[in-house]
Amino acid sequence: MREVLLITAFAMSIVVAFIINLALRKAVTNKITVGCVLFAFLAGGCIYGVGMAQVCANSVIATERAFLAILGMFLGRNDYSTINSAELMKLSWVVPIFWLAHICAFYVTASAVFANAGAGLVRRIRVLVARWRDIAVIYGADDHTLSFARNLNRDHNNLSVVFVDEDTDHAQAVEREGFLFRSDSDALEPSDRFLKGIGLRPGKRKITLYAISENHENNYKYAGEFLNILERRQIDPDQTAAMVITEDHNELMSEAVDGSYGYGSACSCSYQELISRLLIQRYPTWDQVTFSPEGKAVNDFNCLVIGLGKTGQNVLLELIMNGQFEGSHFRADVFAGSGTDELGSMMYRAPEVFTAYEIHIHRNDARSRELYAFLEERGDKLKYAAICTGNEKLNREIAVELDSFFKDQELDIPVCICGKQVYRLGDIHHNIYTPDLLVPELQDTGAKKINQVYCSSNGRSEQENWASCDSFSRRSCRAAWSFRGAFVKASTGTPVDQISGKKQENLSRTEHLRWCAFHRCNGFQLMSREEVLARARRIQEGESIRLTKTGKRHACLMMYDDLEQLDEIARKTAGQQTDYRGSNWDNVRILLETEEGDQYEAE
């Protein structure tokens, strides 16, 4: 009877090993395996060691036999008959532990077999399992995207991850993690067979595409081809979502809106835009600002930016948009050997930025004598430094020297390195491949809530209103949500319904400064008073147009106190009752009243 039970137990250990390797995530199976190894060695070692010592007269022979017995545990063998007569084995609790140790040891061996020799079989079964789960297709396999997949899989038990890449260097690493890897033409140039192979059908499960390879041009192309296949297969847009890293400045114009076919949720961002967004997320500008009890900044915000390539330009714009506070003066000093030579498109896209804000461009290298002469003169006024040369080694070299200078001067200034990863020296390295930045449903959680407040009267759902949002409105909601932490800090913990008087006005003024910075960084210019008056007369004559905005011109890009003049024009000429200053407080109130959405925790 005992032999039957043992055979059954060992057979079950094989089945358990198979199921665990198939169904659970790699991190979980690793922990189970380590636990079994430790238990088998400790329990088996103790029992065999004591047992052999008690039945063998010669200690050397006892040691050798105990060693061989422990190794035999992992091969499915046991020496129970040898130590059965030992005094230790007469204890009732020892025998169950003895056999449990053998089963754990054999489980470890079975797991190794399935992870290696049985990899092909396990892969085939994973393909079958994928046909019953939600799917994440990741276009581009490298260390970063693999880390991203781990985060996704950790928080989604019912998710299968499929990597698509023609470069097979990471294929083994991908499959060791329990994911699928495809490098065939059906996957690389998405076809009906690819979707059929993963069992995607109309109304069944959800699929999310992450076109996040380092080849940003191919990402956009792949997302478009993938969408064509989804449409041909008549997949419901509600089943689909996409995140694309691309050099295109515009949103992915392929969401399902008003009857047109598209992804149910889609977003495209440039790599540099994500880096600058991550910078403010991890190292907020307002952490370097002190606020009075009335919500007014008591220090200026001066920042240093090194490098004016694509990353440097995006970081500079992000600092402008997130560095405006009532009571504080913004100044940016930019050191780049090329000077303004690389700023052509930025000056074209955002012409008012360099006239509305104090920005000094220094045509000097960050390792030059001129930089340190500047630091000796103005280093004590700096609050923030961002290094974005485009060269990882040079970024770090400059950061080490700057950090050393600031420490010598006893200045606590964050020196942030912005490259493939964003970090401060001695701090955790953050990269953009995190779910809270890339998962479509998560990255805009707060922005969607803000947008819904403005659109809730139309009776549509949050997702429907977001899907119909134009790209500029989306960026506006994201920028407002990104700045939320500043208002939380400036409000000094006062409940929203108790904020009044001077504090309310200061927060409103800060919001107007932020709003103006966002619009200027997105290319808006001030609408002249003459044009405002002309538009007011057109409204009075019955035309249905906005008084304050047309194209890339906006009348509200003026001082906070001057907004009252717009109210007067709207009231007297256009017959409208407006409160442009009050709308700033409405925005602040919405931000403070909106709860933060749940986010993934990055590795």
Side-chain angles (χ1 to χ4, degrees), residues 306-309 311-312 366 387-395 398 418:
I306 294 175
L308 261 182
T311 301
I387 305 174
C388 333
T389 67
N391 182 304
E392 299 290 321
K393 183 178 179 181
L394 182 57
N395 277 352
I398 294 170
C418 305

Side-chain angles (χ1 to χ4, degrees), residues 305-317:
V305 178
I306 294 175
L308 261 182
K310 288 186 177 179
T311 301
Q313 291 177 33
N314 275 275
V315 166
L316 175 59
L317 291 173

Side-chain angles (χ1 to χ4, degrees), residues 285 288-289 299-305 319 323 325 328-333 358 360 374 377-386 406 413-414:
T285 53
Q288 303 306 117
V289 176
N299 59 273
D300 292 337
F301 185 81
N302 292 357
C303 59
L304 172 67
V305 178
L319 289 172
F325 312 95
S328 174
H329 176 73
F330 177 89
R331 169 172 168 154
D333 285 89
E358 188 177 358
H360 300 266
F374 163 80
E377 179 184 352
R378 296 192 58 85
D380 60 335
K381 296 179 176 61
L382 286 176
K383 295 296 179 184
Y384 205 98
F406 291 142
I413 299 172

Side-chain angles (χ1 to χ4, degrees), residues 27-38:
V28 177
T29 61
N30 285 343
K31 291 178 182 178
I32 293 174
T33 302
V34 169
C36 287
V37 169
L38 291 175

Side-chain angles (χ1 to χ4, degrees), residues 232-289:
R232 196 154 61 232
R233 292 274 292 171
Q234 296 183 332
I235 304 300
D236 189 334
D238 289 342
Q239 294 177 243
T240 68
M243 172 65 205
V244 185
I245 296 179
T246 176
E247 295 301 324
D248 199 311
H249 289 296
N250 298 315
E251 291 281 350
L252 185 65
M253 296 180 292
S254 51
E255 279 197 324
V257 181
D258 299 329
S260 64
Y261 189 83
Y263 290 105
S265 175
C267 181
S268 64
C269 302
S270 72
Y271 185 83
Q272 294 78 16
E273 183 182 349
L274 289 170
I275 289 172
S276 59
R277 193 184 301 177
L278 179 64
L279 173 68
I280 299 302
Q281 185 184 95
R282 303 304 187 201
Y283 304 104
T285 53
W286 46 89
D287 280 356
Q288 303 306 117
V289 176

Side-chain angles (χ1 to χ4, degrees), residues 291-538:
F291 294 93
S292 71
E294 289 77 33
K296 185 176 183 177
V298 298
N299 59 273
D300 292 337
F301 185 81
N302 292 357
C303 59
L304 172 67
V305 178
I306 294 175
L308 261 182
K310 288 186 177 179
T311 301
Q313 291 177 33
N314 275 275
V315 166
L316 175 59
L317 291 173
E318 202 72 30
L319 289 172
I320 292 171
M321 290 189 288
N322 290 278
Q324 310 300 321
F325 312 95
E326 175 63 17
S328 174
H329 176 73
F330 177 89
R331 169 172 168 154
D333 285 89
V334 183
F335 278 77
S338 60
T340 59
D341 293 347
E342 298 180 69
L343 285 178
S345 69
M346 180 179 169
M347 288 180 164
Y348 171 75
R349 288 187 290 115
E352 281 201 357
V353 163
F354 291 93
T355 55
Y357 304 103
E358 188 177 358
I359 300 173
H360 300 266
I361 308 295
H362 304 261
R363 191 182 282 270
N364 303 109
D365 188 279
R367 296 161 293 182
S368 65
R369 180 177 178 277
E370 285 76 9
L371 171 65
Y372 286 89
F374 163 80
L375 292 176
E376 287 180 348
E377 179 184 352
R378 296 192 58 85
D380 60 335
K381 296 179 176 61
L382 286 176
K383 295 296 179 184
Y384 205 98
I387 305 174
C388 333
T389 67
N391 182 304
E392 299 290 321
K393 183 178 179 181
L394 182 57
N395 277 352
R396 184 170 178 82
E397 177 185 333
I398 294 170
V400 169
E401 295 299 329
L402 271 182
D403 194 59
S404 176
F405 176 87
F406 291 142
K407 285 179 178 176
D408 289 344
Q409 300 296 317
E410 298 183 347
L411 299 173
D412 183 19
I413 299 172
V415 179
C416 302
I417 299 172
C418 305
K420 290 187 175 180
Q421 295 179 316
V422 173
Y423 64 98
R424 291 179 64 178
L425 293 175
D427 199 357
I428 297 172
H429 288 44
H430 310 282
N431 66 60
I432 65 169
Y433 297 95
T434 55
D436 57 333
L437 275 178
L438 297 184
V439 174
E441 294 86 348
L442 292 179
Q443 67 163 219
D444 289 326
T445 300
K448 288 177 181 177
K449 291 180 179 179
I450 295 171
N451 183 64
Q452 184 64 10
V453 172
Y454 291 108
C455 302
S456 57
S457 60
N458 64 19
R460 302 172 76 180
S461 69
E462 181 180 283
Q463 182 57 39
E464 288 172 333
N465 281 321
W466 186 253
S468 61
C469 233
D470 61 87
S471 61
F472 177 79
S473 297
R474 289 189 181 194
R475 290 198 299 273
S476 179
C477 290
R478 288 182 192 129
W481 182 255
S482 175
F483 200 77
R484 180 181 184 274
F487 291 120
V488 171
K489 182 177 181 180
S491 63
T492 60
T494 307
V496 181
D497 57 1
Q498 296 179 26
I499 297 176
S500 59
K502 199 64 179 174
K503 178 179 284 190
Q504 185 179 116
E505 181 181 341
N506 285 329
L507 295 179
S508 299
R509 288 175 178 273
T510 292
E511 165 59 12
H512 184 64
L513 291 171
R514 182 209 66 80
W515 182 92
C516 288
F518 168 78
H519 278 75
R520 289 182 179 124
C521 288
N522 280 275
F524 277 79
Q525 300 180 66
L526 175 64
M527 184 187 294
S528 68
R529 179 181 175 84
E530 290 72 22
E531 186 173 359
V532 175
L533 290 170
R535 293 180 67 80
R537 286 192 292 270
R538 289 168 61 188

